């Protein structure tokens, strides 16, 4: 049992962004008068920055705690209370700040505030909508609030609230420029695909709670579930068509379905590339750094569940590995800079699930953090380029930007090297730890998992260097008229990039594997793993020999360098080669450009039949004809006809006939009584 | 010299109404005579207002006396040697209800009469006389005063129905009402005669003791009396006069008739059954077997239940196809007679209390709906067509909102009192096993939605067609009535339970009326669904 320390400052971390969002909402929807720009900026950025500072304070408080307690709890009030005894359900509206939440909270508020600041510059000149500036910050603040609820929520129920909240904000922000119907379509697609995952989350919640209730411990708070978990480890549940199965496995798989939706894993990855329709800071914050990692966070949060179910863990690991490879291959052929980064995100999230499935929860969390830094850096850097080129995203029309945007080039380069796995930048260490986890795990086929991870590392370096070459090096393909007007972004945009670049470069050292620590004579070098391990299940993590560690690191470095070299050769030395290759292997290229035809498959198998069913059968047949036509209007018509063609004729208007009818009535009454 | 044994106080409510009628007539004569001395005519409006004031004052006195009597809880008989009238809590409550309806009708009429051009003093005198008749009916404990009251009520109403004598439809209305009403009175009187033949007395108490359930004479008499009452409350198949009469009579008269006559009919019937019909049934008759059952004979209960079912079905179905608001409300009043008879037929204390509560609510909601029709009258004409309500929400948003409230109440939709009234009646019916009646009632309530909600749909969702010249505001009298009715309809539905408000007995029948709270009814509903 964890010793809990009360702390009533946590609520302000969550509340401040909500208050800012509420203020914007009131001004936009009710007051309807323009708010001065400095006030919008001050409130939005100020609230998130203050949240970040409060998170730092809470973090400080947390590490000051004595060894036996590692949880700050802010129990605001009893949110849901019902039932008695073993049948009861009590969900507290409580915020919990443990090491896992602390890492996540710092990332969300830290990267979040940087992106808020960056957005001020990015949205400055946007004139597509009258109140767009305020609306943007309203949604962004609301997103931060929801994400913090998701992260700090003490129970599954509260986490689900945040889970849905971030989904809503994601929808709102993808379709932010809704006047273009394609953007609105992309927003809807993201929302609908996420619903599939949300269903999984809910079913998982019900299965888990049902099992806990049957065991006599109906709890929803994470720490209570962890404490009572022993009671349901061996419980089984009967599934339709599938027979008996372990509750733990079923719940874990259901929750994982939720994570698959939110984190864009196979086969629900289709929404994330389309989500790039939103403004670039949104892509950076929501669709790279924070929201999409919620699935990983949730799996880590429920690590005891996955540790208890090897089957579910294997599914997680294999889904992650395949997604990593899948995303990386797609990123190779994309020409839109944001699409490349989107598939890269899909791929990197796959990495995190690979780690989590192999029991390396702290490795997953580590990569989550470093990825947030370098992917945010890459997106914001790309955003600077896009804005400088007046909303041009196609790399076909870039090239040679190094001379025009030197600062952005250097910052972007840091991000590319970090994600490509060049030591000593952050990506190298976190990816290395994942590969080690895969290498030593006992998941079925772990050797192949490791190989897939290694290949993906090479592919990552390849497509990132390809991107870098096509954007910044070589011949300039920028339109001549535009070239003179290209200028470096202002301070609002460049300063966050500097901070992110330094984080992307240095963050790897918080999770330095012990093998490297031995070299540098630092004890307990993997401070992140040491920090979070008390709240994570120890499943599958083994003591790794230093030799293994060096071997894995060398191989991954080799893969990265091979990727970089190959890309350099293809796109700088022999720029005509990619075209030839494309001609030589047209079917492969077509397959990749069409993203393995997954969207087309969904369209043909799910969307069109469903739309046809709704339109032709359910709407025109059932609703319009049966319910409306026969049920509602039919009875109405029948009633009317009964009166209009039957009863009406008794009402002749002649007193004689009235009296006659009365007489008959009186006879009937008397006759019935006398009988 | 009045003998000590005659308690004149019993006559007080009736007396105030009757004296008021005479004062109005005298006042009219005096005022019109004084014109010749003054040399110029009185302001017609002023005269109308003064006379309306006199009538309302006398009614207020009657109301005051009734309430006083109810509070005191005394039982007094007028002329104990040969008891004819008895003032008790039931009659006091009934009188208060009827007088309230009459008061509101007076307030409603003043401006309307002027608009339609029939501003004559006789109107108020007739109205007061009819009220006196009604009060006599609900105070009677003998068939003689019952019949006298019936005629005292009916004859002024015949005149009132034809009050707009220049209008053909008004004349038709009066004549039809008179012809058919006479027939019904004759039937009732014939029934009374047969009962007298069977029991040797006209008093309710004698009926109770001397009634022989096996005697065809007595049963026929009882049946004919029931038919007479069924006519007055316009239950199917004795309802056909209602649409024609309601349509032709001036709207203010229709408003008064539709609530006061129905209330009188039901209350007098309850009084007759409670005081007179007890020995009829033999406790534990087939339909009603419960501890509370037995005041009502099984076969009489079935007759009333049959009338109820027919009324609900025919009234609601016919309401659907009407395109005249007054006819629509006439059929609606037929349907409501059905709902009321459900309560009467169920026969338990719960059911009869529910029926009385229904009457109270019905008085306010129906009067309110008619008040809207009255308030919309202009240029000497009634606003009668359903289609003319189109777009009213834009021209007269307040009236449209009030009309919607009244129609929702008539439909029986919470939180208006109409829902609780209906719920009480139906649940009482279910409790004694009259499930088919309750089912018919609920299904027909659904049909009634179609009939009533056409008007809000027209008011809120259609373009106005002819309200360009509508008067800017309802007059003060009309506004008072509308407001009073709306407040009553909502308050009786929303106010929390103040405990049992009215608790009294009549004969062996106990009445317990409470203002229902949403919570209590909901609890009852849940308890009903989850046994």
């Amino acid at each position: 049992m964890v010793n809990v320390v009360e702390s009533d400052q946590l609520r302000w971390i969550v509340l401040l962004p909500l208050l800012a969002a509420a203020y914007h909402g009131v001004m936009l929807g009710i007051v309807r008068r323009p708010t001065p720009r400095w006030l919008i900026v001050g409130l939005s950025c100020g609230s998130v920055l203050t949240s970040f500072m409060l998170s730092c304070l809470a973090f400080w408080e947390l590490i000051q705690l004595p060894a036996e307690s590692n949880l700050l709890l802010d129990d605001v009030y009893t949110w849901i209370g019902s039932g008695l005894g073993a049948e009861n359900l009590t969900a507290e509206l409580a915020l919990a700040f443990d090491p896992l939440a602390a890492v996540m909270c710092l990332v969300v508020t830290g990267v979040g505030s940087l992106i808020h600041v960056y957005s001020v510059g990015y949205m400055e000149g946007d004139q597509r909508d009258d109140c767009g500036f305020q609306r943007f910050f309203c949604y962004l603040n609301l997103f931060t609030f929801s994400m913090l609820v998701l992260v700090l929520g003490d129970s599954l129920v509260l986490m689900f609230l945040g889970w849905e909240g971030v989904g809503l904000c994601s929808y709102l922000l993808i379709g932010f420029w809704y006047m273009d119907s394609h953007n609105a379509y992309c927003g809807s697609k993201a929302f609908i695909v996420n619903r599939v995952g949300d269903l999984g989350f809910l079913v998982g919640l019900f299965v888990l709670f049902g099992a806990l209730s049957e065991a006599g411990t109906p709890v929803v708070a994470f720490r209570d579930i962890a404490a009572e978990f022993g009671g349901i480890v061996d419980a089984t549940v009967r599934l339709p068509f599938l027979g008996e199965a372990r509750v733990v496995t079923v719940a874990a798989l259901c929750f994982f379905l939720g994570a698959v939706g939110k984190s864009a894993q196979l086969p629900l990855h289709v929404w994330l590339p389309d989500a790039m329709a939103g403004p670039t800071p949104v892509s950076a914050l929501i669709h790279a750094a924070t929201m999409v990692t919620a699935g990983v966070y949730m799996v880590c949060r429920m690590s005891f569940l996955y540790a208890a179910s090897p089957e579910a863990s294997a599914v997680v690991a294999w889904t992650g590995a395949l997604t990593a490879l899948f995303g990386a291959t797609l990123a190779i052929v994309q020409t839109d800079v944001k699409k490349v980064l989107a598939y890269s995100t899909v791929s990197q999230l796959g990495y995190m699930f690979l780690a989590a499935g192999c029991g390396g929860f702290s490795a997953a969390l580590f990569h989550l953090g470093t990825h947030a830094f370098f992917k945010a850096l890459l997106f914001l850097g790309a955003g600077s380029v896009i804005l400088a080129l007046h909303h041009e995203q196609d790399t076909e029309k870039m090239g040679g930007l190094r001379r025009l945007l030197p600062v952005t080039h250097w910052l972007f380069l840091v991000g590319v090297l970090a994600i490509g796995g060049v030591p000593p930048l952050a990506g190298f260490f976190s990816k290395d730890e994942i590969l080690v986890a895969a290498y030593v795990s006992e998941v079925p086929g772990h050797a192949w998992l490791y190989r897939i991870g290694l290949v993906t590392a090479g592919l990552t370096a390849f497509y990132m260097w390809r991107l870098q070459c096509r954007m910044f090096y070589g011949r300039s393909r920028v339109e001549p008229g535009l070239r003179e007007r290209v200028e470096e972004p202002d301070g609002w945009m460049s300063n966050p990039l500097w901070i992110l670049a330094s984080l992307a470069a240095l963050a790897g050292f918080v999770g330095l594997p012990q093998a490297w620590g031995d070299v540098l004579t630092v004890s307990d070098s993997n401070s992140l793993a040491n920090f979070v391990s008390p709240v994570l299940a120890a499943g599958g993590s083994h003591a790794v020999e230093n030799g293994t560690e060096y071997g894995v690191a060398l191989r991954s470095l080799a893969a990265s360098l091979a990727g970089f070299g190959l890309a350099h050769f293809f796109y700088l030395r022999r720029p005509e080669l990619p075209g030839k290759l494309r001609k030589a292997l047209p079917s492969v290229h077509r397959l990749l450009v069409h993203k393995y035809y997954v969207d087309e498959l969904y369209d043909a198998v799910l969307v069109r039949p469903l739309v046809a069913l709704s339109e032709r059968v359910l709407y025109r047949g059932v609703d319009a004809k049966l319910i409306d036509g026969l049920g509602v209007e039919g009875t109405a018509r029948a009633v009317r006809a009964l009166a209009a063609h039957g009863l009406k004729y008794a009402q002749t208007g002649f007193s004689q006939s009235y009296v006659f009818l009365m007489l008959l009535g009186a006879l009937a009454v008397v006759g019935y009584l006398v009988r | 010299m009045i003998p000590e044994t005659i308690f004149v106080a019993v006559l007080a409510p009736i007396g105030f109404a009757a004296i008021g009628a005479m004062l109005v007539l005298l006042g009219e004569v005096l005022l019109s005579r004084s014109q010749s001395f003054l040399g110029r005519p009185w302001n017609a409006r002023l005269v109308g207002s003064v006379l309306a004031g006199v009538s309302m004052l006398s009614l207020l006195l009657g109301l005051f006396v009734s309430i006083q009597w109810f509070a005191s809880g005394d039982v007094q008989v007028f002329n104990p040697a040969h008891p004819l009238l008895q003032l008790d809590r039931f009659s006091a409550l009934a009188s208060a209800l009827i007088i309230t309806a009459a008061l509101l009708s007076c307030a409603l009429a003043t401006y309307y009469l002027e608009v339609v051009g029939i501003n004559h003093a006789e109107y108020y005198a007739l109205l007061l006389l009819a009220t006196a008749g009604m009060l006599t009916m609900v105070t009677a404990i003998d068939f003689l005063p019952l019949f006298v009251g019936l005629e005292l009520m009916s004859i002024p109403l015949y005149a009132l129905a034809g009050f707009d004598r220049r209008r053909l439809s008004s004349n038709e209305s009066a004549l039809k009402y008179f012809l058919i009403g006479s027939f019904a009175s004759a039937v009732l009187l014939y029934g009374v005669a047969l009962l007298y033949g069977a029991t040797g007395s006209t008093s309710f108490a004698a009926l109770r003791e001397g009634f022989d359930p096996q005697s065809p004479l007595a049963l026929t008499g009882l049946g004919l009396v029931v038919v007479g009452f069924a006519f007055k409350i316009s239950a199917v198949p004795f309802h056909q006069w209602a649409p024609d009469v309601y349509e032709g009579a001036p709207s203010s008269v229709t408003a008064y008739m539709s609530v006061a006559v129905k209330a009188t009919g039901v209350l007098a019937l309850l009084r007759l059954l409670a005081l007179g019909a007890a020995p009829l049934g033999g406790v534990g008759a087939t339909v009603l077997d419960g501890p509370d059952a037995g005041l009502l004979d099984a076969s009489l209960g079935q007759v009333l239940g049959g009338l109820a079912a027919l009324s609900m079905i025919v009234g609601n179905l016919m309401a659907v196809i009407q395109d005249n608001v007054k006819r629509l409300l006439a059929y609606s009043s037929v349907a409501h007679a059905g709902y009321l008879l459900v309560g009467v037929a169920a026969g338990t204390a719960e059911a009869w209390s529910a029926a009385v509560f229904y009457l109270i609510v019905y008085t306010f909601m129906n009067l309110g709906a008619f008040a809207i029709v009255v308030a919309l009258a202009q240029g000497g004409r009634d606003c009668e067509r359903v289609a003319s309500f189109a777009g009213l929400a834009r021209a007269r948003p307040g009236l449209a909102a009030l009309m919607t409230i009244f129609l929702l109440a008539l439909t029986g939709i919470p939180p208006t009192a109409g829902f609780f009234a209906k719920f009480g009646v139906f649940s009482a019916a279910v409790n004694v096993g009259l499930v088919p009646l309750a089912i018919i009632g609920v299904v027909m309530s659904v049909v009634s939605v179609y009939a009533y909600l056409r008007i809000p749909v027209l008011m809120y969702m259609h373009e106005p067609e002819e309200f360009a010249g509508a008067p800017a505001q309802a007059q003060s009298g009309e506004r008072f009535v509308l407001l009073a009715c709306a407040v009553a309809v909502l308050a009786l539905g929303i106010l929390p339970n103040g405990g049992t408000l009215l608790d009294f007995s009549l004969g062996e029948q106990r009445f317990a009326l409470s203002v229902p709270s949403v919570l209590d009814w909901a609890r009852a509903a849940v308890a009903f669904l989850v046994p």
Side-chain angles (χ1 to χ4, degrees):
Chain A
M1 192 63 203
V2 190
N3 284 322
V4 175
V5 178
E6 296 284 334
S7 160
D8 57 0
Q9 277 125 43
L10 290 178
R11 67 189 67 174
W12 294 107
I13 299 178
V14 175
L15 271 181
L16 287 173
L18 177 67
L19 292 176
Y23 172 79
H24 293 321
V26 168
M27 293 309 283
L28 281 170
I30 299 170
V31 180
R32 289 170 189 275
R33 254 182 310 199
T35 313
R37 191 156 283 223
W38 61 264
L39 188 61
I40 302 176
V41 171
L43 271 175
S44 286
C45 300
S47 66
V48 181
L49 268 171
T50 318
S51 276
F52 175 62
M53 286 169 196
L54 287 171
S55 306
C56 291
L57 278 178
F59 177 70
W60 183 248
E61 204 177 327
L62 186 66
I63 55 177
Q64 296 295 314
L65 289 181
E68 68 274 10
S69 53
N70 53 7
L71 179 74
L72 296 177
L73 190 77
D74 185 0
D75 193 343
V76 184
Y77 63 92
T78 301
W79 184 27
I80 302 169
S82 67
L84 290 168
E87 300 290 308
N88 76 344
L89 160 66
T90 310
E92 300 286 323
L93 194 86
L95 304 170
F97 197 85
D98 64 354
L100 183 58
V103 172
M104 202 62 189
C105 189
L106 288 174
V107 169
V108 170
T109 52
V111 176
S113 9
L114 292 176
I115 294 176
H116 270 75
V117 172
Y118 177 90
S119 303
V120 176
Y122 192 86
M123 300 304 287
E124 187 79 60
D126 192 70
Q127 302 296 337
R128 286 181 228 190
D129 186 351
D130 282 345
C131 317
F133 193 74
Q134 190 166 20
R135 194 160 59 88
F136 182 82
F137 279 101
C138 176
Y139 294 164
L140 219 53
N141 281 144
L142 190 63
F143 167 78
T144 311
F145 159 74
S146 307
M147 191 67 203
L148 286 169
V149 169
L150 193 162
V151 169
L152 293 178
D154 170 52
S155 65
L156 270 173
V157 189
L158 200 56
M159 183 191 233
F160 187 68
L161 186 75
W163 189 269
E164 291 296 310
V166 292
L168 170 71
C169 296
S170 160
Y171 161 78
L172 290 171
L173 284 163
I174 293 171
F176 180 74
W177 287 312
Y178 56 87
M179 268 78 85
D180 182 347
S181 67
H182 177 69
N183 295 342
Y185 165 79
C186 292
S188 304
K189 183 172 175 182
F191 197 72
I192 292 167
V193 173
N194 262 300
R195 302 306 303 168
V196 180
D198 294 346
L199 179 70
F201 191 117
L202 268 184
V203 173
L205 204 162
F206 295 150
V207 168
L208 192 62
F209 182 71
L212 284 165
S213 302
E214 266 180 29
T217 50
V219 290
V220 286
F222 291 115
R223 55 182 201 288
D224 296 338
I225 297 177
E228 307 292 350
F229 187 64
I232 61 161
V233 166
D234 298 317
T236 57
V237 62
R238 175 172 291 286
L239 297 175
F241 311 120
L242 298 174
E244 293 274 317
R246 288 178 69 207
V247 166
V248 180
T249 305
V250 173
L253 286 176
C254 286
F255 280 119
F256 182 58
L257 179 61
V260 163
K262 193 65 70 192
S263 297
Q265 297 296 289
L266 280 176
L268 298 179
H269 65 284
V270 288
W271 66 270
L272 187 57
D274 282 334
M276 297 301 130
T280 307
V282 170
S283 309
L285 178 62
I286 302 184
H287 305 117
T290 56
M291 184 191 83
V292 289
T293 60
V296 181
Y297 171 75
M298 192 256 281
V299 170
C300 291
R301 181 53 88 195
M302 307 293 286
S303 58
F304 53 89
L305 195 63
Y306 290 89
S309 170
E311 301 89 350
S313 291
V315 171
V316 173
W318 272 99
T319 308
L322 290 176
T323 309
L325 182 64
F326 174 89
T329 54
L330 289 181
I332 290 175
V333 296
Q334 295 297 324
T335 54
D336 184 317
V337 51
K338 287 181 71 180
K339 286 278 168 72
V340 174
L341 292 175
Y343 280 111
S344 161
T345 306
V346 171
S347 172
Q348 298 299 312
L349 289 165
Y351 257 122
M352 296 175 210
F353 281 110
L354 170 61
C358 292
F361 296 109
S362 70
L365 198 66
F366 184 26
H367 197 57
L368 190 163
T370 57
H371 174 257
F373 299 139
F374 56 67
K375 193 49 74 61
L377 170 63
L378 287 169
F379 262 114
L380 297 186
S384 301
V385 172
I386 290 168
L387 201 64
L389 296 179
H390 297 90
H391 292 280
E392 180 57 68
Q393 303 188 6
D394 193 351
T395 51
E396 290 293 339
K397 295 181 180 159
M398 295 180 182
L401 289 176
R402 181 185 168 187
R403 283 179 301 281
L404 297 175
L405 299 166
V407 180
T408 308
H409 156 253
W410 285 114
L411 292 168
F412 201 81
L413 183 64
V414 173
V416 168
L417 294 179
I419 191 175
V422 172
L425 302 181
F428 170 74
F429 293 108
S430 56
K431 197 176 290 180
D432 188 45
E433 213 174 318
I434 290 173
L435 290 174
V436 171
Y439 189 78
V440 301
S441 78
E442 286 158 1
V443 173
H446 67 94
W448 280 102
L449 289 177
Y450 169 67
R451 279 169 217 164
I452 291 175
L454 203 58
V455 170
T456 307
L459 285 173
T460 306
F462 179 84
Y463 67 70
M464 283 316 296
W465 193 249
R466 167 179 176 266
L467 184 67
Q468 176 81 2
C469 292
R470 288 171 66 92
M471 284 170 78
F472 292 103
Y473 307 136
R475 197 171 47 79
S476 173
R477 298 180 294 276
V478 180
E479 282 168 27
L482 195 56
R483 209 173 299 167
E484 284 72 44
R485 288 185 281 136
V486 170
E487 40 182 59
E488 284 281 359
D490 60 10
W492 284 106
M493 290 167 69
S494 58
N495 288 329
L497 285 182
W498 282 106
I499 300 175
L500 281 171
S502 21
L503 284 169
L506 301 173
F509 293 104
V510 301
L512 203 62
Q514 194 55 51
W516 300 96
D518 290 348
V519 175
L520 302 170
T521 65
V522 181
S523 60
D524 289 338
S525 67
N526 198 340
S527 45
L528 180 78
N530 293 337
F531 178 55
V532 296
S533 59
V535 291
L536 294 174
S541 63
H542 301 271
V544 184
E545 290 172 19
N546 287 359
T548 319
E549 187 88 53
Y550 300 139
V552 170
L554 279 178
R555 265 171 271 171
S556 91
L557 184 60
S560 290
L561 291 178
F564 278 118
L566 209 57
H568 198 73
F569 183 69
F570 264 61
Y571 293 96
L572 280 183
R573 287 291 157 84
R574 307 279 301 277
E576 76 282 3
L577 262 187
K580 280 186 186 164
L581 198 62
R582 198 182 307 153
K583 286 207 184 77
L585 297 167
S587 52
V588 173
H589 183 255
R590 209 179 312 127
L591 187 67
L592 291 178
V593 167
H594 284 100
K595 301 162 265 178
Y596 296 104
Y597 293 98
V598 175
D599 273 326
E600 284 82 353
L601 183 76
Y602 283 171
D603 199 43
V605 176
L606 290 175
V607 179
R608 267 187 233 169
L610 210 62
V611 169
L613 181 75
S614 304
E615 170 78 24
R616 300 211 187 112
V617 181
L618 295 178
Y619 168 58
R620 277 187 222 156
V622 176
D623 196 47
K625 293 219 176 89
L626 201 69
I627 296 176
D628 264 9
L630 195 68
V632 179
E633 286 169 23
T635 44
R637 238 178 273 134
V639 161
R640 212 182 155 79
L642 194 59
H645 300 301
L647 293 174
K648 192 177 84 173
Y649 295 109
Q651 192 76 21
T652 55
F654 292 109
S655 304
Q656 297 92 315
S657 78
Y658 293 178
V659 171
F660 180 65
L661 198 71
M662 280 174 68
L663 202 61
L664 288 184
L667 278 177
V669 167
V670 171
Y672 189 86
L673 281 177
V674 174
R675 192 162 40 140
Chain B
M1 176 80 188
I2 302 166
E4 256 178 75
T5 47
I6 298 180
F7 288 91
V8 185
V10 175
L11 296 175
I14 308 170
F16 279 120
I19 293 165
M22 291 169 210
L23 282 179
V24 168
L25 280 177
L26 279 176
E28 214 272 341
V29 170
L30 282 177
L31 288 171
S32 56
R33 286 290 167 219
S34 65
Q35 279 179 21
S36 45
F37 294 112
L38 290 170
R40 61 180 170 84
W42 286 91
N43 182 341
R45 186 177 223 177
L46 182 69
V47 174
S49 305
V50 167
L51 296 179
V54 171
S55 338
M56 285 163 77
L57 192 67
S58 60
L59 285 172
L60 271 175
L61 287 169
L63 183 63
F64 180 71
V65 170
S66 303
I67 292 173
Q68 280 284 310
W69 200 277
F70 187 90
S72 75
D74 283 349
V75 177
Q76 290 292 2
V77 180
F78 176 71
N79 190 9
H82 187 172
L84 296 174
L85 299 171
Q86 171 184 305
L87 200 55
D88 48 40
R89 289 195 121 175
F90 182 87
S91 71
L93 175 70
S95 306
L97 181 61
I98 291 165
I99 292 172
T100 307
L103 256 176
L104 293 175
S105 303
C106 273
L108 194 60
T110 45
Y111 183 69
Y112 174 80
L113 294 179
E114 197 178 313
V115 167
V116 197
I118 45 172
N119 198 357
H120 308 297
E122 295 89 341
Y123 184 91
Y124 299 105
L126 289 170
L127 195 142
L128 287 174
L129 283 175
T131 308
M134 293 170 185
L135 298 180
T136 313
M137 278 180 80
V138 295
T139 319
I141 52 167
D142 189 293
F143 278 115
L144 284 180
L146 181 76
F147 187 73
V148 171
L150 182 77
E151 289 305 298
L152 183 55
M153 169 181 84
S154 300
I155 293 168
L157 284 177
Y158 301 149
L160 280 175
F163 204 73
D164 193 357
R165 59 176 186 270
R166 291 157 305 174
R167 218 155 41 95
L168 207 57
S169 62
S170 188
N171 288 320
E172 178 199 334
S173 160
L175 192 62
K176 264 186 186 162
Y177 196 18
F178 174 64
L179 281 174
I180 305 171
S182 312
F183 180 74
S185 295
V187 168
L188 180 80
L189 195 57
Y190 189 37
V192 171
L194 291 181
L195 280 178
Y196 179 72
T199 61
S201 165
T202 53
S203 96
F204 293 172
L207 180 67
R208 182 196 184 90
E209 278 137 29
F211 191 84
D212 175 11
Q214 306 303 322
S215 146
L217 191 67
L219 286 173
T220 310
L222 185 68
L224 293 179
V225 168
V226 168
V227 168
F229 276 105
F231 169 84
K232 282 296 163 205
I233 62 175
S234 65
V236 178
F238 315 104
H239 69 291
Q240 289 185 304
W241 59 275
D244 296 4
V245 172
Y246 280 19
E247 185 187 358
S251 297
S252 60
V253 177
T254 313
Y256 178 60
M257 275 199 303
S258 69
V259 294
V261 175
K262 201 170 305 268
T264 309
V266 171
L267 292 167
L269 182 61
L270 286 180
R271 194 171 171 80
L272 169 62
L273 291 174
L275 293 175
L280 199 64
V283 178
T286 48
V287 179
L288 318 160
D289 28 54
D292 249 349
L295 288 182
L296 207 54
D297 175 67
S299 51
L300 186 60
Q302 282 157 4
V303 165
L304 291 172
L307 294 181
L310 279 176
S311 304
M312 290 188 291
I313 292 170
V314 173
N316 283 315
L317 285 179
M318 288 297 284
V320 167
I321 58 166
Q322 301 307 320
D323 47 17
N324 179 304
V325 182
K326 283 160 80 179
R327 278 187 91 83
L328 192 157
L329 289 173
Y331 280 110
S332 135
S333 85
V334 172
H336 284 280
Y339 301 133
L340 284 162
L341 282 180
V342 171
V344 178
T348 54
E350 180 200 3
W352 284 11
S353 308
V356 174
F357 182 71
Y358 200 111
L359 264 183
I360 296 172
V361 173
Y362 172 79
T363 300
F364 288 110
M365 62 192 183
N366 212 46
L367 206 56
F370 269 111
I372 300 279
V373 178
V374 167
L376 287 176
Q378 55 166 332
R381 285 203 6 259
D382 274 337
C383 162
E384 289 185 357
R385 290 184 311 118
V386 170
S388 60
F389 277 80
L392 188 65
R394 198 163 313 158
R396 307 283 296 273
L399 285 188
L402 286 171
M403 185 65 168
T404 309
I405 290 175
F406 296 132
L407 289 174
L408 288 180
L410 285 168
T411 318
I413 290 175
T416 60
F419 167 75
F420 300 109
K422 233 175 222 178
F423 179 85
V425 171
F426 291 157
S427 73
V430 168
N431 285 347
V432 295
L434 291 175
V435 179
L437 268 189
I439 290 175
I440 293 175
V442 172
V443 170
M444 283 303 137
S445 300
V446 175
V447 173
S448 77
V449 175
Y450 185 15
Y452 293 125
L453 292 198
R454 271 187 304 154
I455 295 177
V457 166
L458 278 170
M459 291 193 299
Y460 283 94
M461 299 178 193
H462 287 251
E463 290 301 310
E465 63 171 25
E466 59 174 45
F467 270 92
Q473 277 191 332
Q475 295 303 304
S476 54
E478 293 159 0
R479 261 188 288 168
F480 168 72
V481 174
L482 286 171
L483 214 64
C485 292
V487 167
V489 164
L490 289 176
L492 288 177
I494 292 172
L495 276 188
N497 193 351
T500 301
L501 221 60
L502 310 175
D503 188 348
F504 57 94
S505 303
L506 177 67
E508 285 171 16
Q509 183 70 299
R510 182 162 165 269
F511 288 82
L513 272 72
S514 55
V515 178
S517 79
V518 179
L519 204 64
D520 282 4
W521 288 112
R523 217 174 280 143
V526 170
F528 171 67
L529 289 172
V530 190

